[in-house]
Amino acid sequence: MYDHIRGALRVSAGPELQAQIDLNARTPDGLTPVPTELVTSGAEAGMVVRVLEPEDDIAGIGRIECADRDAELVYIRVDWGSIR
């Protein structure tokens, strides 16, 4: 499971959802669009995911804000401070 503590996301024990992101892709309101095929199945709005950027070998945490099923995109608010 995941907890939301004082504005920062903290990971605790439980199943881990993952999404592969593009560090350069952002909407005007700061969300990162991700094709649904690059997100663990079963991911829904409100869920916390581990975001990965394999080209630069970095990872962090984000929260799924919404999904556009017609466009096959999931929008994630990445906690940029968690990126390592």
Side-chain angles (χ1 to χ4, degrees):
M1 296 272 109
Y2 297 90
D3 299 311
H4 188 258
I5 307 283
R6 295 190 185 111
L9 298 172
R10 181 186 73 173
V11 178
S12 59
E16 184 172 282
L17 297 173
Q18 295 187 13
Q20 185 175 324
I21 64 169
D22 176 347
L23 295 175
N24 300 309
R26 295 210 199 132
T27 65
D29 55 350
L31 299 177
T32 301
V34 180
T36 54
E37 71 222 23
L38 298 178
V39 181
T40 305
S41 66
E44 296 182 22
M47 294 179 149
V48 174
V49 295
R50 181 172 187 237
V51 293
L52 308 167
E53 208 293 337
E55 286 183 24
D56 294 321
D57 193 30
I58 61 173
I61 301 295
R63 181 176 306 277
I64 298 173
E65 292 289 321
C66 62
D68 182 339
R69 302 293 179 210
D70 293 333
E72 297 182 347
L73 291 171
V74 172
Y75 293 89
I76 298 174
R77 183 159 315 277
V78 175
D79 177 358
W80 295 105
S82 73
I83 298 291
R84 304 278 181 256

